[in-house]
Amino acid sequence: MKSVVTYEQQVTIVESERPLIKPNHVLMKTSYSMVSPGTELSIIHRSGGAQSKLGYSAAGIAVEVADEVTDIRVGQQVACYGAPYVNHSEYLLVPKHLIAPVPDHVSLKEASAAGLGAIAIHGLRQSGLVFGECAVVIGLGVIGQLVARIARAAAIKVIAIDLYEERRRTLQEVAGITVCASFEEVEAAIGSVTGHIGADAVLHCASGAQKELLDRSFDWIRDRGKIVIVGDMVMEFSRGQMFKKEADVVISRAGGPGRYDPEYEREGRDYPIGFVRWTEGRNMKEYIRLLAEGRISAGSLITTQVPLIHAADIYRDYTSRPDQILGAVISY
């Protein structure tokens, strides 16, 4: 089978053996996998002589199902999430907690964003936002777009900002979200939406060193509001900014509890629901439910599709023209 790998800062396609079914696993034939540019470009830039597979979110058809997996059948549509089990490959062997059934009426292309959807949902859960409160979403890549759309579906008041016009235009299709092009527009919107008390939470879905932006976001929250770091952002800020609001600053780790825990992921040992209500697997299933019920749509987020053999083109585009490419999928 073919897979996308990186080494020495290059992206190429390699051949490997199709994986064999294991207990507590599902073998999936991939239809689409979605690129996560922040994570994957970082891996490419750090890559050396050893090959590293890219990707962590995909959807396709279950072709073999272990006896211990009871909610998925052969021939069923499925979505999956989580490296190293999920990557850009023609076949994927996925542990049962990292794969979810997808109803027949749901597009596999949209379902291939299940990993990014789980990350967006966990970020919102980390914010503690509830019905009627106000969120500011900074950065409207795919994860920021999903955060804003899911928050709106949960009856949270949403204000969003991005410097790229195309990303703002894409989110403007969702009624009820205030989309801004500048900090001044954000501040005016917060005053109007909250009656000048401030937003309940700011979710940073951008990446890189953003000290000025992070400092400024403390001015946007209410007293004892919350800052949530969702993107790969350098967490440098002024203590005084945090102190004056007695703000909470929290980081959101990937798709939720269970991520990077081999007993949960590889061994298939679930956490007791009375202690851990929302795991990464349950968050992924929630993303699929939101699609299935029409509460969100992700189709407009996918602006680029290439066949597997041209996968390297996507990474060149994200580097050379990031303002013109939002979500990208590889087709198989």
Side-chain angles (χ1 to χ4, degrees):
M1 70 172 185
K2 294 181 173 64
S3 302
V4 181
V5 302
T6 182
Y7 63 94
E8 296 180 347
Q9 301 184 1
Q10 301 298 313
V11 176
T12 190
I13 307 297
V14 298
E15 290 280 353
S16 59
E17 292 294 321
R18 170 176 157 173
L20 301 176
I21 194 68
K22 294 180 181 179
N24 288 308
H25 284 64
V26 175
L27 181 64
M28 184 189 85
K29 186 178 188 301
T30 310
S31 299
Y32 301 97
S33 58
M34 177 162 273
V35 174
S36 177
T39 299
E40 295 181 44
L41 288 175
S42 177
I43 293 171
I44 293 167
H45 293 154
R46 298 195 313 266
S47 63
Q51 293 181 358
S52 298
K53 289 185 176 180
L54 295 170
Y56 61 75
S57 186
I61 304 297
V63 294
E64 291 187 62
V65 179
D67 293 340
E68 299 83 358
V69 181
T70 59
D71 61 338
I72 293 172
R73 67 181 186 279
V74 171
Q76 188 172 19
Q77 292 196 152
V78 288
C80 55
Y81 160 54
Y85 314 99
V86 179
N87 48 69
H88 302 309
S89 293
E90 290 181 301
Y91 287 87
L92 296 168
L93 183 64
V94 187
K96 66 179 182 180
H97 288 151
L98 302 183
I99 191 162
V102 175
D104 291 342
H105 70 279
V106 173
S107 158
L108 280 177
K109 194 181 295 186
E110 292 186 58
S112 72
L116 288 81
I119 292 169
I121 288 171
H122 183 55
L124 279 170
R125 297 200 194 286
Q126 289 290 84
S127 74
L129 288 161
V130 299
F131 174 92
E133 291 186 333
C134 177
V136 176
V137 180
I138 301 175
L140 297 177
V142 173
I143 290 177
Q145 294 270 347
L146 289 172
V147 167
R149 291 161 190 248
I150 295 167
R152 175 59 180 163
I156 293 165
K157 301 166 187 172
V158 181
I159 300 165
I161 179 172
D162 196 283
L163 299 179
Y164 292 140
E165 182 180 357
E166 285 300 319
R167 295 182 179 184
R168 296 196 302 271
R169 185 179 296 122
T170 299
L171 188 58
Q172 284 168 344
E173 72 181 28
V174 183
I177 294 178
T178 303
V179 183
C180 303
S182 68
F183 293 163
E184 292 73 23
E185 288 183 18
V186 170
E187 287 157 6
I190 291 170
S192 174
V193 169
T194 72
H196 299 281
I197 66 171
D200 296 280
V202 175
L203 295 100
H204 287 269
C205 301
S207 60
Q210 305 275 358
K211 183 178 185 299
E212 180 183 356
L213 176 58
L214 188 52
D215 275 350
R216 192 157 189 168
S217 65
F218 285 99
D219 294 329
W220 298 346
I221 58 172
R222 61 168 170 80
D223 188 52
R224 298 186 177 184
K226 188 171 286 189
I227 305 292
V228 183
I229 310 299
V230 181
D232 185 10
M233 190 176 188
V234 178
M235 291 183 63
E236 182 182 357
F237 53 86
S238 302
R239 178 185 180 277
Q241 288 291 90
M242 182 180 182
F243 179 83
K244 71 181 182 181
K245 292 288 178 70
E246 198 173 11
D248 282 340
V249 179
V250 300
I251 195 162
S252 179
R253 185 174 64 185
R259 191 70 187 109
Y260 311 116
D261 178 354
E263 291 194 4
Y264 173 85
E265 293 188 330
R266 186 180 64 233
E267 305 300 330
R269 299 177 186 172
D270 202 356
Y271 300 134
I273 200 162
F275 293 90
V276 183
R277 177 62 183 90
W278 294 107
T279 60
E280 61 175 331
R282 293 169 194 148
N283 284 335
M284 180 175 57
K285 290 178 179 178
E286 272 302 287
Y287 169 74
I288 299 300
R289 181 184 72 86
L290 291 171
L291 289 179
E293 295 181 1
R295 297 180 185 274
I296 64 167
S297 171
S300 64
L301 305 183
I302 301 169
T303 58
T304 300
Q305 176 180 324
V306 300
L308 177 61
I309 58 172
H310 295 307
D313 295 346
I314 290 177
Y315 303 100
R316 285 193 287 269
D317 286 347
Y318 271 122
T319 300
S320 64
R321 55 182 192 99
D323 58 324
Q324 299 175 46
I325 178 172
L326 181 52
V329 295
I330 299 169
S331 60
Y332 297 77

